[in-house]
Amino acid sequence: MAETIHAATGFPRRPCERPEVLQTARYANGKWAPTKQLFKSWSFYDFTDVAQNGRLRLFIEQPSGRDVTLEETTQKPDGSWPAPTPMHGLAPVPVTSKPTRNYLAAAVVGTHVHLVYIDTNGRLMHTMEQSNGTWTAPDQVAPGGAYRNDWFQSLSAASVGGGLQVAAVDQIHRTVLHTALGANGRWTQWSNVLTNGQIAQYHTIRSANGH
């Protein structure tokens, strides 16, 4: 049987209404399931999702008083969704500046989910879900590089060859930067993916030799 692809998106229906997260699925025959609402929130900043063991999981950046709380929820086998709950082991992030969109990205690497996010100080942070369901203490992604982390505007993550790779937008230099988490637990140095500084949409492929 061909794989069923699930998708989720979030947006406010009208400016005065709550943002909501919607879900649909594309079946093997090419048709799409009816869109359904997962939950509403007054002001979640951003969310991302992964498919793990045939189930869709959501990770949400939720304002909580003066802090931002990272929350998660996993779709049940019957298709329903429980209310999001804080990710175990992660402390709320103090708010110093309001986040914008594309501040979260997740990927399944092996049997573990990795989450990278831009915190409210502009730093790229990384955490990994452990076998007991708790999350590791956040560590900074590729610290000490030549690029100031508060230049990062958005990011994405992917599992490639059994490892985690991260791309982030450098809004100052108008380019895309790349780093990867090695088997030794260290991040590679930041490298430029695009260097012409033009505003457009691009496609590129990273070859086996790292270029």
Side-chain angles (χ1 to χ4, degrees):
M1 179 181 295
E3 181 181 5
T4 299
I5 300 174
H6 295 267
T9 185
F11 63 93
R13 295 174 64 88
R14 296 186 180 90
C16 61
E17 294 184 355
R18 295 184 184 185
E20 58 185 13
V21 178
L22 307 177
Q23 179 192 13
T24 186
R26 186 176 185 269
Y27 298 122
N29 60 7
K31 295 183 178 181
W32 289 87
T35 300
K36 65 178 181 180
Q37 180 188 104
L38 305 189
F39 58 87
K40 285 188 176 182
S41 170
W42 278 114
S43 57
F44 67 84
Y45 288 142
D46 195 15
F47 81 97
T48 189
D49 58 71
V50 297
Q52 186 182 32
N53 300 324
R55 298 167 67 184
L56 193 63
R57 302 183 63 184
L58 298 182
F59 304 96
I60 304 155
E61 196 171 43
Q62 186 78 256
S64 175
R66 295 184 177 181
D67 299 330
V68 171
T69 301
L70 295 174
E71 300 182 351
E72 62 177 313
T73 180
T74 301
Q75 189 175 25
K76 296 181 178 179
D78 63 3
S80 62
W81 288 86
T85 57
M87 296 166 61
H88 297 296
L90 296 184
V93 180
V95 173
T96 57
S97 60
K98 184 177 179 180
T100 57
R101 298 295 180 186
N102 301 323
Y103 266 56
L104 291 174
V108 179
V109 181
T111 59
H112 298 282
V113 178
H114 292 252
L115 180 74
V116 291
Y117 62 94
I118 304 176
D119 72 7
T120 54
N121 291 313
R123 298 177 302 171
L124 257 68
M125 305 299 292
H126 162 263
T127 180
M128 181 187 75
E129 187 179 30
Q130 302 177 100
S131 300
N132 61 3
T134 62
W135 293 80
T136 59
D139 60 287
Q140 193 170 348
V141 175
Y147 300 95
R148 286 178 47 188
N149 288 339
D150 57 2
W151 291 346
F152 296 147
Q153 185 177 34
S154 62
L155 72 159
S156 62
S159 174
V160 181
L164 178 67
Q165 301 201 21
V166 175
V169 173
D170 174 359
Q171 61 182 339
I172 300 298
H173 296 97
R174 296 180 179 179
T175 190
V176 178
L177 304 176
H178 168 269
T179 183
L181 183 60
N184 59 1
R186 297 181 180 178
W187 295 89
T188 61
Q189 292 185 349
W190 289 107
S191 60
N192 263 330
V193 176
L194 309 172
T195 57
N196 59 11
Q198 300 299 309
I199 301 176
Q201 293 184 355
Y202 300 89
H203 168 265
T204 186
I205 296 175
R206 185 171 184 262
S207 61
N209 63 7
H211 293 294

